[in-house]
Amino acid sequence: MPSNGAEANNTSLGEEYFSSAQFSYRSGWNDQIMLTKRAYTISSLINTFTAAGLRIETTIEPQLSEDDRRRYPHKQD
């Protein structure tokens, strides 16, 4: 079973990241409910919030813990 949208769609991570197409998936808490949404890029979210008056002073990229780096080396890469 594919582990992410890129594998499932046979596309690159970049194509998936910049895609504005809607996608649907079954809810994790009720498999009879189908959720539909679209992904947003970080820049589109920042631009939306900036236009609404948000001022960002600092950002920090999340990092995997040492345990998760060992468990998921492909995500660390």
Side-chain angles (χ1 to χ4, degrees), residues 54 68 76:
L54 175 71
D68 285 343
Q76 178 61 34

Side-chain angles (χ1 to χ4, degrees), residues 4-75:
N4 65 45
E7 289 178 20
N9 298 329
N10 198 29
T11 58
S12 71
L13 289 175
E15 287 174 291
E16 293 295 321
Y17 180 75
F18 287 105
S19 174
S20 61
Q22 289 187 344
F23 61 95
S24 298
Y25 59 96
R26 295 225 178 266
S27 163
W29 49 270
N30 184 337
D31 66 0
Q32 294 186 8
I33 295 176
M34 194 67 127
L35 301 171
T36 300
K37 67 178 196 173
R38 77 175 189 92
Y40 296 90
T41 61
I42 296 299
S43 63
S44 67
L45 292 172
I46 290 172
N47 290 336
T48 298
F49 290 127
T50 299
L54 175 71
R55 182 172 173 248
I56 298 172
E57 294 180 5
T58 304
T59 60
I60 299 171
E61 293 291 332
Q63 299 295 319
L64 294 174
S65 67
E66 283 300 320
D67 184 48
D68 285 343
R69 287 178 189 177
R70 285 190 294 276
R71 291 174 59 202
Y72 310 107
H74 65 288
K75 291 186 178 187

